[in-house]
Amino acid sequence: MSIVFTLDGVQIAAAPSASSGSVGATVPAGTSAGSHKLEARSTNTKCGTAGTALRVVLPPPVTTTRPPVTTQPPVTNPPVTNPPVTTRPPVVTTTTTPVTTTTTTTTTTTPPSSSTTNALTNPGDGVLVLDKDNIQPGDDLTATGTGCPKGANVTLKSLGQDVGRTTADENGTFSSPVRFSNIEPGRHKVLAECGIVLAGNVDVTLSSSSGGTTSTLVVLLFFLLVGAAMLRRQFSGLRR
C-alpha cells in the first residue's frame, strides 16, 4: 500500500504508507502563481483522502540592464595644404674636357727563382723551403716548413712516393731530409702533408763523369797509335 500525492489532480509524488515520515515532490513547471489543491490519497480503498491548499509564488523576473552606449564623435583630419610650387630656371653646366697625355712604360718581369717559388707556396697556410734549387742523384736535400698544427705528423711526398717523415714542434715548424729512392732528371714537386699541404720544387740534373772523358781519350790514343804503326810500315816498304 502507498500514498499518492497530486496537485490539481496531477500526480507529483508517491511514497509507501507509514505511521509518520515525509516525502519530497517537485511542483510541475508552468504552474501558475496562486492557490492550488494538494491531495494525499491512499491506494487502499478503505483509507480516505486528505487535502490542503498549496500557494505557489513565482520568483520575480530577472531584468538585465544594458550599459548605455556612448558614441564618440568622428575624428576629423585637418585639411592637407600642398606647399606652393616654385619654378626655378634650369642651371646650364659647361663641361671642359681636359687633355690627357698617356705615357707608356715597359716593365720587364724576371721570373722568380726556385727558392723564391718555394717560399711563396701557400703563404696563407705555411711555407716549405728546400735548401737546394738544383741537385744530382745522390745529393743531400733538406726540407724546412712552417704553419703545421702543433705536434702534427709530417709526410713528405714526391713522384707518388714517401721521401721523408717527421713531426712538427710546438710552433708548427719542422725539418726533414728528403731521400729519393728513384728519381729522373727534370723538375720535381715535393709536398709536405701535415693537416695542410705545403709544396716546393727542385730540379734534378745529370752531369757527365770524369770516367767517360778518360775512356774517350784512351780510344782516341789507341787509334793514333794504330795509325802511326801503319805509317811506319808504309815507309819501311818504300825504303826496301
Side-chain angles (χ1 to χ4, degrees):
M1 183 179 65
S2 60
I3 301 174
V4 178
F5 295 88
T6 61
L7 181 66
D8 294 337
V10 179
Q11 181 179 339
I12 60 175
S17 61
S19 58
S20 62
S22 63
V23 65
T26 302
V27 177
T31 303
S32 61
S35 179
H36 297 271
K37 185 177 181 180
L38 178 63
E39 292 182 343
R41 179 175 54 85
S42 175
T43 56
N44 189 351
T45 56
K46 295 180 179 181
C47 298
T49 299
T52 183
L54 175 65
R55 184 175 180 81
V56 177
V57 179
L58 299 179
V62 180
T63 304
T64 302
T65 304
R66 295 183 180 179
V69 178
T70 304
T71 304
Q72 297 181 353
V75 179
T76 303
N77 295 326
V80 179
T81 303
N82 296 326
V85 179
T86 303
T87 303
R88 295 182 180 180
V91 179
V92 179
T93 303
T94 303
T95 303
T96 303
T97 304
V99 178
T100 304
T101 302
T102 304
T103 302
T104 304
T105 303
T106 303
T107 303
T108 303
T109 303
T110 304
S113 62
S114 178
S115 299
T116 305
T117 304
N118 293 339
L120 295 180
T121 301
N122 295 333
D125 297 334
V127 176
L128 179 66
V129 178
L130 304 177
D131 63 340
K132 295 183 179 68
D133 298 335
N134 191 296
I135 63 172
Q136 296 184 12
D139 290 349
D140 294 333
L141 181 65
T142 301
T144 302
T146 60
C148 293
K150 175 181 177 181
N153 294 325
V154 183
T155 302
L156 300 172
K157 293 185 177 182
S158 181
L159 302 175
Q161 59 179 324
D162 292 350
V163 294
R165 288 180 179 271
T166 186
T167 302
D169 59 15
E170 60 182 6
N171 298 321
T173 303
F174 66 89
S175 180
S176 173
V178 180
R179 298 182 178 89
F180 296 98
S181 60
N182 184 14
I183 190 170
E184 297 179 357
R187 171 160 291 192
H188 301 281
K189 179 175 290 187
V190 178
L191 301 178
E193 300 178 357
C194 59
I196 61 175
V197 178
L198 309 178
N201 295 321
V202 63
D203 293 326
V204 179
T205 58
L206 296 177
S207 61
S208 60
S209 61
S210 58
T213 304
T214 303
S215 300
T216 303
L217 292 176
V218 171
V219 172
L220 292 176
L221 181 60
F222 173 78
F223 281 107
L224 289 175
L225 293 175
V226 171
M230 293 178 65
L231 290 174
R232 286 179 182 180
R233 290 179 181 180
Q234 290 180 0
F235 282 118
S236 297
L238 290 175
R239 289 177 182 180
R240 292 176 184 179

